[in-house]
Amino acid sequence: MNAATARGIDHIGLTVLDIEAAERFLIDGLGAEFIYETLNPGLPPFEGPEVAKMVGSPPGIVIDVIRMYKMGTGPGIELFHYKVDGQRPAPRLCDLGWQHVALYVDDMEAALERAVAAGAEKMNDPWDLIRAESGPGNRFCFIRTPFGPVIELISFPSPQPYEEGTELRRWKPPVA
């Protein structure tokens, strides 16, 4: 690996309407842990033409809260709160662009139950992974968070058929 090679995913950013509700869901529904706050309403917000250009947003946007959360042994989740006119809802899975975040869980039923109890919408019952990802207990399901974006819960405790054809492996958290 050279210095120009990405070494992994550090965090995933999510923009939300109600940062307090989103934080409660991340902590109560998914077991996230609050790490730090970069920006809050008591500090000067990020705003102005340079900020709008940097984030590819319309003129007049204001970023007033940014918080970072630890998600087990994977990438963090960074929540953003923007003040902007004409803010659009979260995209559907069929829309262009990044469409969901997948979180590895050890107990699909318990994780799904916890997320739904914290306000998530269960989009489907857990399905078996198929083809290159299949194996006993290898399953996934989608939930829609109370603040809009879709999260996939995934678990693949069994070896997967793709492993027979390559030494490369997809990321999986270490056994706790």
Side-chain angles (χ1 to χ4, degrees):
M1 186 180 311
N2 66 43
T5 301
R7 293 184 42 220
I9 296 173
D10 177 72
H11 71 275
I12 297 153
L14 293 173
T15 298
V16 298
L17 286 175
D18 183 337
I19 203 155
E20 301 304 329
E23 175 176 89
R24 279 191 307 279
F25 176 75
L26 288 180
I27 292 170
D28 297 344
L30 300 174
E33 297 174 85
F34 173 79
I35 303 175
Y36 60 84
E37 187 170 65
T38 303
L39 188 61
N40 65 51
L43 297 170
F46 294 156
E47 60 184 326
E50 298 84 17
V51 172
K53 182 179 178 183
M54 176 183 65
V55 299
S57 294
I61 64 115
V62 175
I63 306 170
D64 63 348
V65 182
I66 304 173
R67 295 180 184 162
M68 183 68 77
Y69 302 84
K70 181 180 185 314
M71 295 298 299
T73 62
I77 292 183
E78 187 175 28
L79 292 182
F80 291 81
H81 182 263
Y82 282 74
K83 293 181 180 177
V84 61
D85 291 332
Q87 196 166 37
R88 297 181 216 154
R92 300 165 301 169
L93 289 178
C94 62
D95 292 331
L96 298 176
W98 301 104
Q99 57 163 262
H100 71 275
V101 174
L103 302 178
Y104 192 94
V105 298
D106 292 313
D107 184 330
M108 180 68 64
E109 285 73 22
L112 182 57
E113 183 179 319
R114 179 179 184 170
V116 168
E121 170 196 347
K122 179 175 80 169
M123 296 173 67
N124 63 284
D125 288 327
W127 287 16
D128 290 339
L129 292 170
I130 61 170
R131 299 184 183 100
E133 300 175 327
S134 65
N138 295 353
R139 301 172 2 152
F140 76 99
C141 71
F142 288 110
I143 59 171
R144 183 168 301 279
T145 65
F147 47 94
V150 172
I151 292 176
E152 176 183 355
L153 302 177
I154 189 166
S155 187
F156 43 95
S158 296
Q160 298 176 304
Y162 84 87
E163 295 173 359
E164 296 172 14
T166 180
E167 291 188 23
L168 295 175
R169 298 292 183 264
R170 62 190 292 177
W171 178 86
K172 184 177 179 180
V175 177

